[in-house]
mmCIF file of all heavy atoms in Angstrom:
data_model
loop_
_atom_site.group_PDB
_atom_site.id
_atom_site.type_symbol
_atom_site.label_atom_id
_atom_site.label_comp_id
_atom_site.label_asym_id
_atom_site.label_seq_id
_atom_site.Cartn_x
_atom_site.Cartn_y
_atom_site.Cartn_z
ATOM 1 N N MET A 7 114.575 118.431 77.981
ATOM 2 C CA MET A 7 113.283 117.874 78.333
ATOM 3 C C MET A 7 113.411 117.084 79.616
ATOM 4 O O MET A 7 114.344 116.325 79.816
ATOM 5 C CB MET A 7 112.778 116.992 77.199
ATOM 6 C CG MET A 7 111.416 116.387 77.481
ATOM 7 S SD MET A 7 110.584 115.785 76.017
ATOM 8 C CE MET A 7 111.038 114.096 76.012
ATOM 9 N N CYS A 8 112.455 117.213 80.484
ATOM 10 C CA CYS A 8 112.437 116.508 81.770
ATOM 11 C C CYS A 8 111.905 115.100 81.559
ATOM 12 O O CYS A 8 111.057 114.851 80.724
ATOM 13 C CB CYS A 8 111.543 117.270 82.756
ATOM 14 S SG CYS A 8 111.401 116.422 84.314
ATOM 15 N N ASN A 9 112.401 114.185 82.379
ATOM 16 C CA ASN A 9 111.952 112.807 82.315
ATOM 17 C C ASN A 9 111.511 112.369 83.702
ATOM 18 O O ASN A 9 112.218 111.590 84.346
ATOM 19 C CB ASN A 9 113.051 111.920 81.748
ATOM 20 C CG ASN A 9 112.566 110.526 81.431
ATOM 21 O OD1 ASN A 9 111.386 110.278 81.420
ATOM 22 N ND2 ASN A 9 113.473 109.642 81.183
ATOM 23 N N PRO A 10 110.352 112.860 84.178
ATOM 24 C CA PRO A 10 109.913 112.496 85.527
ATOM 25 C C PRO A 10 109.585 111.010 85.629
ATOM 26 O O PRO A 10 109.072 110.420 84.694
ATOM 27 C CB PRO A 10 108.675 113.353 85.756
ATOM 28 C CG PRO A 10 108.199 113.707 84.410
ATOM 29 C CD PRO A 10 109.398 113.714 83.500
ATOM 30 N N LYS A 11 109.942 110.432 86.757
ATOM 31 C CA LYS A 11 109.698 109.021 86.938
ATOM 32 C C LYS A 11 109.140 108.766 88.327
ATOM 33 O O LYS A 11 109.578 109.379 89.296
ATOM 34 C CB LYS A 11 110.991 108.239 86.780
ATOM 35 C CG LYS A 11 111.556 108.269 85.384
ATOM 36 C CD LYS A 11 112.813 107.446 85.265
ATOM 37 C CE LYS A 11 113.344 107.547 83.865
ATOM 38 N NZ LYS A 11 114.546 106.762 83.682
ATOM 39 N N ILE A 12 108.196 107.852 88.390
ATOM 40 C CA ILE A 12 107.691 107.388 89.680
ATOM 41 C C ILE A 12 108.706 106.370 90.189
ATOM 42 O O ILE A 12 109.144 105.490 89.443
ATOM 43 C CB ILE A 12 106.299 106.763 89.525
ATOM 44 C CG1 ILE A 12 105.304 107.846 89.076
ATOM 45 C CG2 ILE A 12 105.856 106.093 90.831
ATOM 46 C CD1 ILE A 12 103.930 107.328 88.750
ATOM 47 N N PRO A 13 109.102 106.478 91.447
ATOM 48 C CA PRO A 13 110.104 105.552 91.990
ATOM 49 C C PRO A 13 109.642 104.089 91.855
ATOM 50 O O PRO A 13 108.464 103.772 92.011
ATOM 51 C CB PRO A 13 110.185 105.945 93.464
ATOM 52 C CG PRO A 13 109.753 107.375 93.501
ATOM 53 C CD PRO A 13 108.712 107.496 92.430
ATOM 54 N N VAL A 14 110.597 103.222 91.566
ATOM 55 C CA VAL A 14 110.331 101.798 91.402
ATOM 56 C C VAL A 14 109.649 101.224 92.655
ATOM 57 O O VAL A 14 108.716 100.416 92.544
ATOM 58 C CB VAL A 14 111.616 101.031 91.063
ATOM 59 C CG1 VAL A 14 111.390 99.523 91.084
ATOM 60 C CG2 VAL A 14 112.146 101.466 89.710
ATOM 61 N N ALA A 15 110.072 101.662 93.826
ATOM 62 C CA ALA A 15 109.461 101.161 95.055
ATOM 63 C C ALA A 15 107.970 101.489 95.094
ATOM 64 O O ALA A 15 107.160 100.667 95.571
ATOM 65 C CB ALA A 15 110.170 101.727 96.272
ATOM 66 N N ASP A 16 107.590 102.650 94.618
ATOM 67 C CA ASP A 16 106.181 103.038 94.591
ATOM 68 C C ASP A 16 105.416 102.175 93.575
ATOM 69 O O ASP A 16 104.278 101.776 93.845
ATOM 70 C CB ASP A 16 106.022 104.519 94.263
ATOM 71 C CG ASP A 16 106.558 105.423 95.353
ATOM 72 O OD1 ASP A 16 106.897 104.937 96.446
ATOM 73 O OD2 ASP A 16 106.636 106.654 95.098
ATOM 74 N N MET A 17 106.012 101.918 92.444
ATOM 75 C CA MET A 17 105.358 101.076 91.447
ATOM 76 C C MET A 17 105.198 99.657 91.961
ATOM 77 O O MET A 17 104.163 99.010 91.762
ATOM 78 C CB MET A 17 106.133 101.103 90.131
ATOM 79 C CG MET A 17 106.083 102.440 89.429
ATOM 80 S SD MET A 17 106.780 102.433 87.773
ATOM 81 C CE MET A 17 108.500 102.207 88.102
ATOM 82 N N ASN A 18 106.233 99.149 92.659
ATOM 83 C CA ASN A 18 106.138 97.808 93.236
ATOM 84 C C ASN A 18 105.051 97.740 94.289
ATOM 85 O O ASN A 18 104.302 96.752 94.354
ATOM 86 C CB ASN A 18 107.495 97.402 93.840
ATOM 87 C CG ASN A 18 108.533 97.108 92.795
ATOM 88 O OD1 ASN A 18 108.210 96.870 91.634
ATOM 89 N ND2 ASN A 18 109.786 97.136 93.206
ATOM 90 N N ALA A 19 104.933 98.770 95.118
ATOM 91 C CA ALA A 19 103.900 98.809 96.136
ATOM 92 C C ALA A 19 102.512 98.792 95.483
ATOM 93 O O ALA A 19 101.603 98.083 95.968
ATOM 94 C CB ALA A 19 104.058 100.045 97.025
ATOM 95 N N GLU A 20 102.351 99.511 94.406
ATOM 96 C CA GLU A 20 101.065 99.531 93.703
ATOM 97 C C GLU A 20 100.776 98.142 93.110
ATOM 98 O O GLU A 20 99.652 97.633 93.219
ATOM 99 C CB GLU A 20 101.047 100.584 92.597
ATOM 100 C CG GLU A 20 99.804 100.595 91.755
ATOM 101 C CD GLU A 20 98.508 100.857 92.535
ATOM 102 O OE1 GLU A 20 98.567 101.315 93.702
ATOM 103 O OE2 GLU A 20 97.425 100.603 91.989
ATOM 104 N N SER A 21 101.770 97.531 92.514
ATOM 105 C CA SER A 21 101.587 96.185 91.947
ATOM 106 C C SER A 21 101.163 95.195 93.022
ATOM 107 O O SER A 21 100.293 94.344 92.781
ATOM 108 C CB SER A 21 102.876 95.716 91.265
ATOM 109 O OG SER A 21 103.146 96.498 90.150
ATOM 110 N N LEU A 22 101.748 95.289 94.190
ATOM 111 C CA LEU A 22 101.395 94.405 95.296
ATOM 112 C C LEU A 22 99.944 94.633 95.740
ATOM 113 O O LEU A 22 99.206 93.665 95.991
ATOM 114 C CB LEU A 22 102.356 94.589 96.463
ATOM 115 C CG LEU A 22 102.153 93.663 97.658
ATOM 116 C CD1 LEU A 22 102.299 92.203 97.243
ATOM 117 C CD2 LEU A 22 103.157 94.013 98.752
ATOM 118 N N ARG A 23 99.538 95.887 95.827
ATOM 119 C CA ARG A 23 98.159 96.181 96.213
ATOM 120 C C ARG A 23 97.187 95.564 95.203
ATOM 121 O O ARG A 23 96.162 94.989 95.585
ATOM 122 C CB ARG A 23 97.951 97.690 96.307
ATOM 123 C CG ARG A 23 98.669 98.325 97.492
ATOM 124 C CD ARG A 23 98.520 99.802 97.524
ATOM 125 N NE ARG A 23 97.241 100.162 98.147
ATOM 126 C CZ ARG A 23 96.921 101.423 98.455
ATOM 127 N NH1 ARG A 23 97.748 102.417 98.209
ATOM 128 N NH2 ARG A 23 95.771 101.670 99.033
ATOM 129 N N ILE A 24 97.517 95.691 93.928
ATOM 130 C CA ILE A 24 96.659 95.126 92.878
ATOM 131 C C ILE A 24 96.634 93.601 93.002
ATOM 132 O O ILE A 24 95.573 92.978 92.942
ATOM 133 C CB ILE A 24 97.150 95.577 91.491
ATOM 134 C CG1 ILE A 24 96.871 97.077 91.314
ATOM 135 C CG2 ILE A 24 96.471 94.777 90.379
ATOM 136 C CD1 ILE A 24 97.525 97.686 90.108
ATOM 137 N N LYS A 25 97.806 93.007 93.181
ATOM 138 C CA LYS A 25 97.918 91.542 93.331
ATOM 139 C C LYS A 25 97.094 91.054 94.523
ATOM 140 O O LYS A 25 96.513 89.981 94.490
ATOM 141 C CB LYS A 25 99.376 91.137 93.484
ATOM 142 C CG LYS A 25 99.587 89.661 93.622
ATOM 143 C CD LYS A 25 101.060 89.324 93.776
ATOM 144 C CE LYS A 25 101.214 87.830 94.007
ATOM 145 N NZ LYS A 25 102.577 87.458 94.299
ATOM 146 N N ASN A 26 97.066 91.860 95.584
ATOM 147 C CA ASN A 26 96.334 91.491 96.807
ATOM 148 C C ASN A 26 94.839 91.793 96.748
ATOM 149 O O ASN A 26 94.162 91.718 97.755
ATOM 150 C CB ASN A 26 96.971 92.172 98.017
ATOM 151 C CG ASN A 26 98.312 91.571 98.380
ATOM 152 O OD1 ASN A 26 98.597 90.423 98.038
ATOM 153 N ND2 ASN A 26 99.148 92.340 99.039
ATOM 154 N N GLY A 27 94.342 92.136 95.566
ATOM 155 C CA GLY A 27 92.906 92.274 95.376
ATOM 156 C C GLY A 27 92.384 93.680 95.232
ATOM 157 O O GLY A 27 91.201 93.870 94.943
ATOM 158 N N GLU A 28 93.230 94.672 95.420
ATOM 159 C CA GLU A 28 92.791 96.072 95.233
ATOM 160 C C GLU A 28 92.950 96.416 93.755
ATOM 161 O O GLU A 28 93.760 97.252 93.371
ATOM 162 C CB GLU A 28 93.598 97.014 96.112
ATOM 163 C CG GLU A 28 93.418 96.784 97.589
ATOM 164 C CD GLU A 28 94.225 97.733 98.451
ATOM 165 O OE1 GLU A 28 94.281 98.933 98.136
ATOM 166 O OE2 GLU A 28 94.822 97.259 99.431
ATOM 167 N N ASP A 29 92.159 95.718 92.915
ATOM 168 C CA ASP A 29 92.387 95.791 91.473
ATOM 169 C C ASP A 29 91.229 96.395 90.684
ATOM 170 O O ASP A 29 91.258 96.416 89.460
ATOM 171 C CB ASP A 29 92.706 94.392 90.934
ATOM 172 C CG ASP A 29 91.615 93.376 91.239
ATOM 173 O OD1 ASP A 29 90.656 93.701 91.976
ATOM 174 O OD2 ASP A 29 91.725 92.240 90.736
ATOM 175 N N LYS A 30 90.228 96.873 91.377
ATOM 176 C CA LYS A 30 89.110 97.510 90.682
ATOM 177 C C LYS A 30 89.497 98.949 90.316
ATOM 178 O O LYS A 30 90.390 99.531 90.915
ATOM 179 C CB LYS A 30 87.872 97.511 91.560
ATOM 180 C CG LYS A 30 87.383 96.092 91.819
ATOM 181 C CD LYS A 30 86.145 96.095 92.662
ATOM 182 C CE LYS A 30 85.616 94.687 92.911
ATOM 183 N NZ LYS A 30 86.605 93.684 93.250
ATOM 184 N N LEU A 31 88.854 99.471 89.298
ATOM 185 C CA LEU A 31 89.147 100.826 88.834
ATOM 186 C C LEU A 31 89.099 101.811 89.984
ATOM 187 O O LEU A 31 89.990 102.657 90.118
ATOM 188 C CB LEU A 31 88.197 101.242 87.720
ATOM 189 C CG LEU A 31 88.345 102.660 87.207
ATOM 190 C CD1 LEU A 31 89.753 102.883 86.627
ATOM 191 C CD2 LEU A 31 87.287 102.981 86.181
ATOM 192 N N GLU A 32 88.088 101.698 90.825
ATOM 193 C CA GLU A 32 87.954 102.622 91.954
ATOM 194 C C GLU A 32 89.151 102.520 92.901
ATOM 195 O O GLU A 32 89.637 103.517 93.430
ATOM 196 C CB GLU A 32 86.655 102.341 92.738
ATOM 197 C CG GLU A 32 85.407 102.520 91.933
ATOM 198 C CD GLU A 32 85.043 101.295 91.077
ATOM 199 O OE1 GLU A 32 85.493 100.175 91.383
ATOM 200 O OE2 GLU A 32 84.356 101.488 90.076
ATOM 201 N N ASP A 33 89.636 101.300 93.103
ATOM 202 C CA ASP A 33 90.817 101.065 93.965
ATOM 203 C C ASP A 33 92.032 101.780 93.383
ATOM 204 O O ASP A 33 92.748 102.490 94.085
ATOM 205 C CB ASP A 33 91.141 99.584 94.107
ATOM 206 C CG ASP A 33 90.063 98.788 94.801
ATOM 207 O OD1 ASP A 33 89.350 99.345 95.669
ATOM 208 O OD2 ASP A 33 89.929 97.589 94.483
ATOM 209 N N ILE A 34 92.246 101.573 92.114
ATOM 210 C CA ILE A 34 93.438 102.115 91.457
ATOM 211 C C ILE A 34 93.384 103.653 91.420
ATOM 212 O O ILE A 34 94.402 104.314 91.654
ATOM 213 C CB ILE A 34 93.611 101.497 90.057
ATOM 214 C CG1 ILE A 34 93.885 99.988 90.237
ATOM 215 C CG2 ILE A 34 94.748 102.176 89.287
ATOM 216 C CD1 ILE A 34 93.818 99.174 88.975
ATOM 217 N N LEU A 35 92.207 104.205 91.167
ATOM 218 C CA LEU A 35 92.067 105.665 91.203
ATOM 219 C C LEU A 35 92.361 106.203 92.590
ATOM 220 O O LEU A 35 93.016 107.231 92.746
ATOM 221 C CB LEU A 35 90.675 106.084 90.745
ATOM 222 C CG LEU A 35 90.359 105.891 89.268
ATOM 223 C CD1 LEU A 35 88.891 106.174 88.983
ATOM 224 C CD2 LEU A 35 91.251 106.753 88.392
ATOM 225 N N CYS A 36 91.890 105.501 93.608
ATOM 226 C CA CYS A 36 92.161 105.896 95.006
ATOM 227 C C CYS A 36 93.660 105.824 95.295
ATOM 228 O O CYS A 36 94.218 106.724 95.909
ATOM 229 C CB CYS A 36 91.393 104.999 95.950
ATOM 230 S SG CYS A 36 91.598 105.464 97.688
ATOM 231 N N HIS A 37 94.301 104.772 94.803
ATOM 232 C CA HIS A 37 95.751 104.636 94.989
ATOM 233 C C HIS A 37 96.492 105.821 94.353
ATOM 234 O O HIS A 37 97.427 106.374 94.948
ATOM 235 C CB HIS A 37 96.287 103.343 94.355
ATOM 236 C CG HIS A 37 95.660 102.092 94.883
ATOM 237 N ND1 HIS A 37 95.814 100.899 94.209
ATOM 238 C CD2 HIS A 37 94.905 101.836 95.969
ATOM 239 C CE1 HIS A 37 95.175 99.951 94.887
ATOM 240 N NE2 HIS A 37 94.606 100.513 95.961
ATOM 241 N N ALA A 38 96.047 106.176 93.154
ATOM 242 C CA ALA A 38 96.691 107.302 92.449
ATOM 243 C C ALA A 38 96.513 108.600 93.234
ATOM 244 O O ALA A 38 97.454 109.380 93.368
ATOM 245 C CB ALA A 38 96.124 107.430 91.043
ATOM 246 N N GLN A 39 95.302 108.820 93.737
ATOM 247 C CA GLN A 39 95.044 110.027 94.523
ATOM 248 C C GLN A 39 95.905 110.045 95.795
ATOM 249 O O GLN A 39 96.428 111.089 96.174
ATOM 250 C CB GLN A 39 93.567 110.135 94.863
ATOM 251 C CG GLN A 39 92.716 110.427 93.659
ATOM 252 C CD GLN A 39 91.238 110.298 93.947
ATOM 253 O OE1 GLN A 39 90.818 109.663 94.899
ATOM 254 N NE2 GLN A 39 90.430 110.923 93.082
ATOM 255 N N GLU A 40 96.040 108.893 96.415
ATOM 256 C CA GLU A 40 96.891 108.794 97.616
ATOM 257 C C GLU A 40 98.327 109.115 97.269
ATOM 258 O O GLU A 40 99.022 109.823 98.001
ATOM 259 C CB GLU A 40 96.820 107.388 98.210
ATOM 260 C CG GLU A 40 95.533 107.049 98.906
ATOM 261 C CD GLU A 40 95.490 105.591 99.341
ATOM 262 O OE1 GLU A 40 96.512 104.879 99.290
ATOM 263 O OE2 GLU A 40 94.394 105.153 99.737
ATOM 264 N N TRP A 41 98.811 108.578 96.126
ATOM 265 C CA TRP A 41 100.197 108.796 95.742
ATOM 266 C C TRP A 41 100.439 110.293 95.508
ATOM 267 O O TRP A 41 101.418 110.841 95.991
ATOM 268 C CB TRP A 41 100.566 107.987 94.485
ATOM 269 C CG TRP A 41 102.032 108.082 94.212
ATOM 270 C CD1 TRP A 41 103.006 107.262 94.659
ATOM 271 C CD2 TRP A 41 102.706 109.103 93.444
ATOM 272 N NE1 TRP A 41 104.240 107.683 94.240
ATOM 273 C CE2 TRP A 41 104.072 108.817 93.488
ATOM 274 C CE3 TRP A 41 102.280 110.206 92.729
ATOM 275 C CZ2 TRP A 41 105.020 109.607 92.854
ATOM 276 C CZ3 TRP A 41 103.216 110.990 92.107
ATOM 277 C CH2 TRP A 41 104.583 110.695 92.154
ATOM 278 N N VAL A 42 99.522 110.931 94.799
ATOM 279 C CA VAL A 42 99.673 112.370 94.539
ATOM 280 C C VAL A 42 99.680 113.130 95.850
ATOM 281 O O VAL A 42 100.536 114.005 96.058
ATOM 282 C CB VAL A 42 98.571 112.881 93.588
ATOM 283 C CG1 VAL A 42 98.576 114.411 93.532
ATOM 284 C CG2 VAL A 42 98.757 112.306 92.186
ATOM 285 N N LYS A 43 98.760 112.817 96.756
ATOM 286 C CA LYS A 43 98.710 113.500 98.052
ATOM 287 C C LYS A 43 100.008 113.345 98.813
ATOM 288 O O LYS A 43 100.521 114.299 99.409
ATOM 289 C CB LYS A 43 97.542 112.965 98.894
ATOM 290 C CG LYS A 43 97.365 113.664 100.212
ATOM 291 C CD LYS A 43 96.184 113.105 100.969
ATOM 292 C CE LYS A 43 96.081 113.771 102.330
ATOM 293 N NZ LYS A 43 94.986 113.208 103.109
ATOM 294 N N ASN A 44 100.585 112.140 98.780
ATOM 295 C CA ASN A 44 101.829 111.873 99.493
ATOM 296 C C ASN A 44 103.068 112.385 98.769
ATOM 297 O O ASN A 44 104.167 112.394 99.348
ATOM 298 C CB ASN A 44 101.973 110.373 99.763
ATOM 299 C CG ASN A 44 100.937 109.853 100.720
ATOM 300 O OD1 ASN A 44 100.464 110.574 101.596
ATOM 301 N ND2 ASN A 44 100.567 108.606 100.565
ATOM 302 N N ASN A 45 102.903 112.784 97.517
ATOM 303 C CA ASN A 45 104.027 113.265 96.706
ATOM 304 C C ASN A 45 103.669 114.560 95.994
ATOM 305 O O ASN A 45 104.056 114.800 94.864
ATOM 306 C CB ASN A 45 104.405 112.180 95.670
ATOM 307 C CG ASN A 45 104.928 110.932 96.293
ATOM 308 O OD1 ASN A 45 106.101 110.816 96.622
ATOM 309 N ND2 ASN A 45 104.028 109.971 96.517
ATOM 310 N N GLN A 46 102.891 115.401 96.705
ATOM 311 C CA GLN A 46 102.325 116.602 96.086
ATOM 312 C C GLN A 46 103.380 117.514 95.488
ATOM 313 O O GLN A 46 103.220 118.018 94.380
ATOM 314 C CB GLN A 46 101.492 117.368 97.097
ATOM 315 C CG GLN A 46 100.638 118.460 96.479
ATOM 316 C CD GLN A 46 99.539 117.901 95.607
ATOM 317 O OE1 GLN A 46 98.746 117.107 96.072
ATOM 318 N NE2 GLN A 46 99.461 118.322 94.365
ATOM 319 N N GLN A 47 104.490 117.730 96.198
ATOM 320 C CA GLN A 47 105.521 118.641 95.692
ATOM 321 C C GLN A 47 106.136 118.124 94.392
ATOM 322 O O GLN A 47 106.312 118.866 93.439
ATOM 323 C CB GLN A 47 106.604 118.842 96.750
ATOM 324 C CG GLN A 47 107.599 119.896 96.393
ATOM 325 C CD GLN A 47 108.578 120.160 97.532
ATOM 326 O OE1 GLN A 47 108.637 119.433 98.503
ATOM 327 N NE2 GLN A 47 109.359 121.212 97.392
ATOM 328 N N LYS A 48 106.411 116.832 94.353
ATOM 329 C CA LYS A 48 106.970 116.235 93.127
ATOM 330 C C LYS A 48 105.970 116.341 91.990
ATOM 331 O O LYS A 48 106.312 116.736 90.862
ATOM 332 C CB LYS A 48 107.323 114.756 93.392
ATOM 333 C CG LYS A 48 107.926 114.048 92.205
ATOM 334 C CD LYS A 48 108.160 112.563 92.502
ATOM 335 C CE LYS A 48 109.184 112.409 93.594
ATOM 336 N NZ LYS A 48 109.582 111.006 93.800
ATOM 337 N N TYR A 49 104.724 115.996 92.273
ATOM 338 C CA TYR A 49 103.659 116.044 91.264
ATOM 339 C C TYR A 49 103.500 117.459 90.717
ATOM 340 O O TYR A 49 103.433 117.664 89.500
ATOM 341 C CB TYR A 49 102.361 115.544 91.905
ATOM 342 C CG TYR A 49 101.169 115.570 91.004
ATOM 343 C CD1 TYR A 49 100.985 114.577 90.045
ATOM 344 C CD2 TYR A 49 100.214 116.569 91.104
ATOM 345 C CE1 TYR A 49 99.863 114.586 89.227
ATOM 346 C CE2 TYR A 49 99.098 116.582 90.295
ATOM 347 C CZ TYR A 49 98.938 115.597 89.360
ATOM 348 O OH TYR A 49 97.828 115.631 88.535
ATOM 349 N N ASP A 50 103.447 118.438 91.608
ATOM 350 C CA ASP A 50 103.311 119.830 91.172
ATOM 351 C C ASP A 50 104.470 120.282 90.328
ATOM 352 O O ASP A 50 104.298 121.009 89.347
ATOM 353 C CB ASP A 50 103.169 120.755 92.388
ATOM 354 C CG ASP A 50 101.844 120.595 93.117
ATOM 355 O OD1 ASP A 50 100.911 119.987 92.556
ATOM 356 O OD2 ASP A 50 101.757 121.054 94.272
ATOM 357 N N SER A 51 105.686 119.831 90.675
ATOM 358 C CA SER A 51 106.857 120.220 89.860
ATOM 359 C C SER A 51 106.772 119.594 88.480
ATOM 360 O O SER A 51 107.145 120.232 87.488
ATOM 361 C CB SER A 51 108.171 119.812 90.562
ATOM 362 O OG SER A 51 108.369 118.436 90.519
ATOM 363 N N TRP A 52 106.252 118.398 88.375
ATOM 364 C CA TRP A 52 106.074 117.762 87.065
ATOM 365 C C TRP A 52 105.070 118.543 86.223
ATOM 366 O O TRP A 52 105.282 118.739 85.026
ATOM 367 C CB TRP A 52 105.619 116.326 87.194
ATOM 368 C CG TRP A 52 106.635 115.377 87.786
ATOM 369 C CD1 TRP A 52 107.953 115.628 88.013
ATOM 370 C CD2 TRP A 52 106.386 114.059 88.222
ATOM 371 N NE1 TRP A 52 108.542 114.536 88.581
ATOM 372 C CE2 TRP A 52 107.599 113.545 88.720
ATOM 373 C CE3 TRP A 52 105.264 113.256 88.273
ATOM 374 C CZ2 TRP A 52 107.725 112.273 89.231
ATOM 375 C CZ3 TRP A 52 105.387 111.976 88.773
ATOM 376 C CH2 TRP A 52 106.608 111.482 89.250
ATOM 377 N N LEU A 53 103.989 118.973 86.847
ATOM 378 C CA LEU A 53 102.990 119.771 86.124
ATOM 379 C C LEU A 53 103.594 121.086 85.630
ATOM 380 O O LEU A 53 103.346 121.505 84.496
ATOM 381 C CB LEU A 53 101.782 120.062 86.998
ATOM 382 C CG LEU A 53 100.871 118.870 87.306
ATOM 383 C CD1 LEU A 53 99.751 119.303 88.253
ATOM 384 C CD2 LEU A 53 100.303 118.270 86.044
ATOM 385 N N GLU A 54 104.382 121.715 86.493
ATOM 386 C CA GLU A 54 105.007 122.972 86.093
ATOM 387 C C GLU A 54 105.967 122.781 84.911
ATOM 388 O O GLU A 54 105.979 123.557 83.964
ATOM 389 C CB GLU A 54 105.742 123.591 87.275
ATOM 390 C CG GLU A 54 106.384 124.931 86.971
ATOM 391 C CD GLU A 54 105.395 125.985 86.481
ATOM 392 O OE1 GLU A 54 104.215 125.969 86.902
ATOM 393 O OE2 GLU A 54 105.799 126.829 85.652
ATOM 394 N N ILE A 55 106.720 121.718 84.949
ATOM 395 C CA ILE A 55 107.649 121.418 83.847
ATOM 396 C C ILE A 55 106.862 121.159 82.556
ATOM 397 O O ILE A 55 107.231 121.675 81.497
ATOM 398 C CB ILE A 55 108.528 120.198 84.204
ATOM 399 C CG1 ILE A 55 109.515 120.582 85.306
ATOM 400 C CG2 ILE A 55 109.256 119.676 82.975
ATOM 401 C CD1 ILE A 55 110.205 119.408 85.958
ATOM 402 N N ALA A 56 105.776 120.418 82.666
ATOM 403 C CA ALA A 56 104.945 120.138 81.483
ATOM 404 C C ALA A 56 104.366 121.420 80.912
ATOM 405 O O ALA A 56 104.346 121.615 79.688
ATOM 406 C CB ALA A 56 103.829 119.160 81.851
ATOM 407 N N ARG A 57 103.912 122.307 81.790
ATOM 408 C CA ARG A 57 103.366 123.596 81.309
ATOM 409 C C ARG A 57 104.446 124.418 80.587
ATOM 410 O O ARG A 57 104.179 125.025 79.560
ATOM 411 C CB ARG A 57 102.799 124.385 82.480
ATOM 412 C CG ARG A 57 101.517 123.831 83.026
ATOM 413 C CD ARG A 57 100.996 124.685 84.155
ATOM 414 N NE ARG A 57 99.870 124.057 84.818
ATOM 415 C CZ ARG A 57 99.880 123.547 86.039
ATOM 416 N NH1 ARG A 57 100.972 123.632 86.807
ATOM 417 N NH2 ARG A 57 98.813 122.975 86.546
ATOM 418 N N GLN A 58 105.659 124.446 81.151
ATOM 419 C CA GLN A 58 106.742 125.193 80.538
ATOM 420 C C GLN A 58 107.115 124.613 79.181
ATOM 421 O O GLN A 58 107.349 125.337 78.233
ATOM 422 C CB GLN A 58 107.963 125.205 81.456
ATOM 423 C CG GLN A 58 107.768 126.034 82.703
ATOM 424 C CD GLN A 58 108.917 125.907 83.677
ATOM 425 O OE1 GLN A 58 109.905 125.233 83.411
ATOM 426 N NE2 GLN A 58 108.788 126.532 84.823
ATOM 427 N N GLU A 59 107.152 123.291 79.093
ATOM 428 C CA GLU A 59 107.519 122.656 77.838
ATOM 429 C C GLU A 59 106.423 122.791 76.788
ATOM 430 O O GLU A 59 106.712 122.726 75.589
ATOM 431 C CB GLU A 59 107.875 121.197 78.069
ATOM 432 C CG GLU A 59 109.163 121.050 78.848
ATOM 433 C CD GLU A 59 109.620 119.615 79.060
ATOM 434 O OE1 GLU A 59 108.919 118.690 78.572
ATOM 435 O OE2 GLU A 59 110.653 119.423 79.691
ATOM 436 N N ALA A 60 105.186 122.953 77.220
ATOM 437 C CA ALA A 60 104.073 123.090 76.288
ATOM 438 C C ALA A 60 103.988 124.488 75.672
ATOM 439 O O ALA A 60 103.385 124.660 74.631
ATOM 440 C CB ALA A 60 102.755 122.756 76.982
ATOM 441 N N SER A 61 104.617 125.466 76.345
ATOM 442 C CA SER A 61 104.502 126.839 75.815
ATOM 443 C C SER A 61 105.643 127.205 74.935
ATOM 444 O O SER A 61 106.526 126.521 74.635
ATOM 445 C CB SER A 61 104.377 127.833 76.934
ATOM 446 O OG SER A 61 105.218 127.602 78.010
#
């Protein structure tokens, strides 16, 4: 089973953005979309692994 993880540096950056006031749902959703866009290959590989494990 795969254990995909978001890098700690990315989680820390998100926490800082939230601490600095970007804490509304819309902000966090935008952050998530940005992260996926900037990490598309990793994200896609996680989806593929999940699909394989689900079948």
Side-chain angles (χ1 to χ4, degrees):
M7 181 162 95
C8 177
N9 190 12
K11 294 182 181 181
I12 295 174
V14 172
D16 293 351
M17 292 189 291
N18 289 341
E20 176 60 15
S21 293
L22 183 60
R23 290 176 83 172
I24 291 169
K25 181 180 176 186
N26 288 336
E28 296 181 43
D29 57 353
K30 295 181 179 44
L31 177 60
E32 298 83 23
D33 296 329
I34 296 168
L35 290 173
C36 183
H37 301 166
Q39 291 171 340
E40 287 174 11
W41 188 90
V42 169
K43 182 179 178 183
N44 293 331
N45 295 276
Q46 192 68 55
Q47 187 174 11
K48 181 184 296 188
Y49 179 78
D50 290 345
S51 73
W52 292 349
L53 289 177
E54 182 58 32
I55 290 166
R57 288 181 188 110
Q58 291 173 3
E59 291 183 2
S61 42

